[in-house]
Amino acid sequence: MSLHMAVEVVRDSEVSLTAQIQSFIKNEIAAGSLHAGTRLPSSRRLADDLDVSRSVVVEAYGQLVAEGYLEAVQGAGTRVVRHLTTQAVVPTPRGEDSLPQVRWDLRPDGGNLPDFPRRDWLTCYERALRAGTSSAHACPPPAGTPELRLELSRYLGRARGVRATAEWLAVVGGFSQGLDLLCGVLRREGTDAIGVEDPGHPGQRQFLRGCGVRPLPLPVDEAGLDVAALAATDLRVVLVTPTHQFPTGVTLRDDRREQLVRWARDVDGLIIEHDYDGGLWYERGQRPLALQRLAPERVVYAGTASKYLAPGLRLGWLAAPPDLLDRLLRERARHGLGPETLTQLAFAELLRDGLLDRHLRRLNSRAGSRRQALEEAVRRYLPGAGVLGPAAGLHAYLQLPRYTDEAALVSGALRRLVAVRGGAAFHAGPRRGAPALVVGHAHLPRAGIAEAVRVLAEVRSR
């Protein structure tokens, strides 16, 4: 194996070459550049690369083995020993992301991922590879491949009621990239604040601040965003999740949808509609159609494949009025390109052949049974609590009785190896309303959901 390792040696130094190689490798291990288990070049290869005698490297390696820094295994080469402990170059932050090992992780982002359709994806990716067109291996067009934009326009019109042609669509690297592009354009045009839902995603508020835009929290109740509170501000841009609000799960009521569109027209404003959990809807009856269809000229519709395929694909899309889309694409030119071409073409195949629809039907059936298990467990173990909003998405908002100590429940559950997030973590300010838990449930077995809720009930009763 022709491995390469950068080693600095000085030929006219008073220190021997062997000692220099030894000292360099020790320092790299201590600094964290050479990690435990890393395989090093053979003595012959390193000697050739450094233009030194092989005996120099053999001696250096031998001394480091003797001192316990390296290990030489027959047939496996020379490696940095695996038991070394060194100071981390970048300290690991403490907090929710460094939880101890738990039995049931109910956090909405705690491994709460859908089943990936591996076989279908492999089939579609293979088709994209076999197409053999030069465009499949070229840099992706700024707005995304024509094939995916066309299939997206057909799918979104059919499944979401989105009113947009392929020319109104741009493929982006997930919702975060789309929001970053929007913030860049809006900030340059004078927007310094965007209305956001409260409660909402705390990471999203932080992201907006990082983009140089101030997030202004607006209250959400059982009917969705309080449009009257929005109208009382000087805002001209608002970010909403009208179909399945995060984290409460409520749907924006029809009269408020009309009020929101009227507000946008009255103030010459813009609505960013984040349809973040896509087709994950298992409530009986028709899923609400996109808000965008009420005012395509005033709404940017943003979707993503993260919740029903995989966040690692970094696939998202924006449907925007053509003049705004042009400005977004100019903004993109400042930052780079979107998702790589073959992934876009494979996703286009998934849409074209109805394989995504089939996957969503399976996923909705599975997630629906988990939601049912959650509701049954809440009725059995947590009387006085209730799940808010329609059955949809990968999470649920569990309202607790008003006398419940939310913080004590969360910490007590963790001691019993159940990780869950309290509703207070999603509020920008002092929380209004009853205590709550935000529960990611779609990835758990039904028995696991019941057991986790039983533990929550035992902790609350103490």
Side-chain angles (χ1 to χ4, degrees):
M1 187 177 294
S2 300
L3 300 178
H4 175 77
M5 180 172 66
V7 177
E8 294 179 344
V9 294
V10 179
R11 297 186 184 279
D12 57 357
S13 171
E14 295 180 356
V15 179
S16 70
L17 292 172
T18 295
Q20 290 185 53
I21 294 172
Q22 286 178 236
S23 177
F24 182 87
I25 292 177
K26 284 182 182 180
N27 291 337
E28 292 298 285
I29 291 173
S33 299
L34 285 176
H35 303 279
T38 299
R39 185 172 179 177
L40 303 187
S42 67
S43 57
R44 188 184 304 278
R45 172 59 61 185
L46 184 57
D48 286 344
D49 289 343
L50 297 179
D51 193 21
V52 299
S53 169
R54 184 186 176 195
S55 62
V56 169
V57 179
V58 169
E59 184 180 352
Y61 276 7
Q63 185 61 35
L64 290 169
V65 169
E67 294 178 16
Y69 287 91
L70 303 180
E71 58 183 355
V73 180
Q74 182 68 30
T78 303
R79 299 176 183 269
V80 178
V81 297
R82 297 182 184 276
H83 63 270
L84 283 177
T85 57
T86 59
Q87 181 68 33
V89 177
V90 180
T92 302
R94 301 294 297 173
E96 287 189 344
D97 293 332
S98 53
L99 288 173
Q101 187 71 28
V102 297
R103 178 165 175 74
W104 302 115
D105 194 341
L106 302 181
R107 296 175 300 162
D109 54 356
N112 190 29
L113 300 174
D115 292 330
F116 188 75
R118 291 177 174 82
R119 181 171 297 179
D120 288 344
W121 184 258
L122 181 60
T123 298
C124 293
Y125 204 87
E126 187 175 13
R127 288 178 188 168
L129 282 171
R130 286 181 173 176
T133 60
S134 58
S135 62
H137 305 285
C139 291
T145 64
E147 295 89 344
L148 179 52
R149 294 169 73 197
L150 176 61
E151 294 303 327
L152 275 173
S153 67
R154 292 170 173 170
Y155 173 76
L156 295 175
R158 168 172 58 83
R160 305 284 184 275
V162 173
R163 294 180 176 172
T165 64
E167 289 72 27
W168 285 43
L169 286 163
V171 181
V172 292
F175 176 67
S176 59
Q177 185 183 76
L179 185 58
D180 183 40
L181 295 176
L182 281 163
C183 287
V185 170
L186 294 171
R187 190 178 64 249
R188 256 184 280 281
E189 295 177 357
T191 297
D192 61 0
I194 292 179
V196 295
E197 296 166 326
D198 186 23
H201 201 303
Q204 201 168 83
R205 294 192 293 268
Q206 183 178 357
F207 184 86
L208 288 172
R209 294 189 192 98
C211 293
V213 178
R214 177 171 54 93
L216 182 62
L218 300 167
V220 170
D221 57 25
E222 289 79 3
L225 179 74
D226 186 342
V227 183
L230 168 63
T233 70
D234 294 328
L235 290 169
R236 292 179 58 194
V237 182
V238 65
L239 170 60
V240 294
T241 52
T243 300
H244 186 230
Q245 201 271 338
F246 184 86
T248 66
V250 300
T251 298
L252 188 63
R253 205 168 58 197
D254 287 346
D255 60 323
R256 293 208 181 169
R257 288 180 169 231
E258 295 172 0
Q259 293 169 18
L260 185 56
V261 169
R262 188 161 53 248
W263 164 84
R265 288 173 174 154
D266 289 345
V267 303
D268 189 25
L270 183 69
I271 302 166
I272 304 172
E273 176 184 9
H274 184 195
D275 188 13
Y276 81 103
D277 57 8
L280 299 177
W281 185 270
Y282 32 96
E283 180 88 348
R284 284 187 176 275
Q286 175 64 44
R287 172 190 170 90
L289 297 177
L291 173 69
Q292 183 264 4
R293 62 188 281 106
L294 300 180
E297 77 286 358
R298 292 291 174 188
V299 181
V300 175
Y301 174 90
T304 173
S306 295
K307 293 296 184 289
Y308 54 77
L309 285 180
L313 284 178
R314 307 315 302 149
L315 264 177
W317 43 89
L318 300 176
D323 60 334
L324 175 57
L325 188 64
D326 287 342
R327 303 201 298 278
L328 290 170
L329 295 180
R330 288 197 296 271
E331 179 71 16
R332 160 170 277 180
R334 299 163 54 91
H335 298 282
L337 302 173
E340 54 92 12
T341 306
L342 285 170
T343 295
Q344 293 190 45
L345 294 176
F347 188 52
E349 291 283 347
L350 202 72
L351 292 169
R352 181 183 299 115
D353 285 2
L355 297 176
L356 179 63
D357 291 79
R358 185 175 70 178
H359 168 65
L360 286 174
R361 288 187 184 279
R362 289 196 300 255
L363 190 58
N364 278 325
S365 175
R366 180 178 183 274
S369 71
R370 271 47 175 188
R371 168 67 175 240
Q372 184 180 26
L374 175 65
E375 293 177 349
E376 290 172 355
V378 169
R379 285 194 295 268
R380 179 178 181 182
Y381 298 115
L382 289 173
V387 182
L388 189 65
L394 300 176
H395 80 280
Y397 193 77
L398 177 58
Q399 281 191 326
L400 302 168
R402 286 187 176 275
Y403 55 80
T404 302
D405 187 332
E406 178 186 299
L409 177 57
V410 170
S411 60
L414 185 58
R415 287 193 292 272
R416 295 284 302 275
L417 304 184
V418 174
V420 67
R421 280 185 175 166
F426 299 87
H427 284 259
R431 198 254 298 285
R432 299 172 293 276
L437 300 176
V438 182
V439 178
H441 58 79
H443 64 302
L444 297 175
R446 289 175 59 92
I449 294 172
E451 181 182 341
V453 174
R454 180 180 58 78
V455 170
L456 293 174
E458 292 174 355
V459 172
R460 195 183 67 130
S461 65
R462 291 183 176 180

